Amino acid sequence: PTPAPMADNPMDKPWKWAAWILVLLWLGLFLVRFTAPSDLLDNSQDRQAGYVQDLLFNGNLACQLDQNGELCAKPPLFTWLAGLCSLPFGRTVELGLFLPGSLAVLATMLMLWGLGRRWLGNWGAFFAALALPFSIYGVRMVLLARTDSLYMLLAAGAGMAGFAAWRQRQSWLWFWLLAATATLTKGPQGMLPAMIALGACAWWERRETDREGFHFGGSWWGGLCLFLVICIGWFAWAYCQFGIEAANK
């Protein structure tokens, strides 16, 4: 059932400053982590640095090789973003490697705050957003040259976009677009969490309303076609560049 409107206005004090408080807390945690000794050699982050180096200096766009000449095991969206952040420096730098994932954590925090207020209320949404960067693994994701935080943002965004489209009977374009970018970040399992979440919501609604079937809102064929064009297009591009090795990865 649709939740009742909140009694308090989220723009009233002190909530109109909540987003800025989250940004400042994220910035403080980022600066603490960035000024600490580097752990770039941990968690295979050095391989990600090798991918960005290959992208910047050898121009391998579809797929990249690490410092040992091995082909990347994941699609290149994170590498593209890290390369774009490193491009102004003319070389691979730690700030460029860390920035895409760190900004993804911030965007996920703001998404939890902005969208969570309707379902959790102001306090619930604020603490949900706050718990992300201060969780055990969230502290690591604030400064981590891996795909994890970007994948988290895109998968969660796809789930929320799909839920909104389903509930409001609107277009599924944003769901499929975010699912495509999640796939270009992590691989074929990119959209799996969003689909599982939507399946759970559909099961719950049918249980509550005893419906015979599910109504998936507005047209979703256009978004599905866009998803297939993006994902199959990238795969074909990578296959043309690296052949069967890219398909095996």
Side-chain angles (χ1 to χ4, degrees):
T2 303
M6 294 182 297
D8 53 335
N9 187 340
M11 293 307 294
D12 288 343
K13 291 182 178 181
W15 297 113
K16 70 175 183 179
W17 304 108
W20 289 108
I21 293 173
L22 292 173
V23 171
L24 290 175
L25 289 172
W26 164 85
L27 181 60
L29 186 57
F30 175 83
L31 292 176
V32 169
R33 295 275 287 113
F34 188 71
T35 54
S38 174
D39 64 347
L40 193 61
L41 297 179
D42 191 23
N43 285 322
S44 299
Q45 296 178 90
D46 55 323
R47 293 192 67 186
Q48 185 61 59
Y51 300 149
V52 176
Q53 189 82 350
D54 184 53
L55 172 67
L56 293 178
F57 288 92
N58 298 325
N60 287 325
L61 291 175
C63 289
Q64 296 79 41
L65 306 173
D66 65 10
Q67 57 270 36
N68 299 318
E70 295 184 10
L71 193 64
C72 59
K74 294 182 177 67
L77 181 59
F78 183 88
T79 303
W80 291 343
L81 295 176
L84 188 63
C85 292
S86 297
L87 195 59
F89 302 93
R91 58 187 178 88
T92 305
V93 294
E94 287 194 358
L95 179 61
L97 291 171
F98 294 138
L99 205 53
S102 186
L103 290 175
V105 171
L106 175 61
T108 307
M109 292 171 61
L110 295 177
M111 182 172 62
L112 287 171
W113 159 244
L115 299 180
R117 289 177 298 173
R118 181 182 178 188
W119 305 97
L120 305 176
N122 285 326
W123 279 111
F126 182 75
F127 281 113
L130 198 62
L132 173 61
F134 290 100
S135 63
I136 295 176
Y137 194 60
V139 173
R140 294 295 310 274
M141 287 198 295
V142 169
L143 205 78
L144 190 67
R146 290 176 59 93
T147 61
D148 303 64
S149 48
L150 181 62
Y151 173 61
M152 171 187 67
L153 169 65
L154 297 173
M160 291 184 180
F163 185 70
W166 172 43
R167 295 285 295 185
Q168 300 170 18
R169 305 298 189 258
Q170 295 177 353
S171 171
W172 286 73
L173 180 63
W174 280 108
F175 168 80
W176 288 110
L177 183 59
L178 289 168
T181 54
T183 302
L184 287 184
T185 301
K186 199 73 171 179
Q189 73 271 32
M191 62 182 296
L192 185 60
M195 296 299 294
I196 292 175
L198 288 176
C201 291
W203 173 81
W204 181 260
E205 181 172 328
R206 184 174 183 179
R207 177 183 175 186
E208 289 294 299
T209 59
D210 195 27
R211 292 184 177 179
E212 294 296 328
F214 306 118
H215 302 283
F216 287 99
S219 174
W220 52 275
W221 285 105
L224 176 60
C225 292
L226 179 63
F227 172 85
L228 294 175
V229 167
I230 292 175
C231 296
I232 296 177
W234 167 76
F235 182 81
W237 182 20
Y239 186 85
C240 289
Q241 187 172 354
F242 289 97
I244 192 63
E245 187 178 0
N248 291 334
K249 287 289 185 176

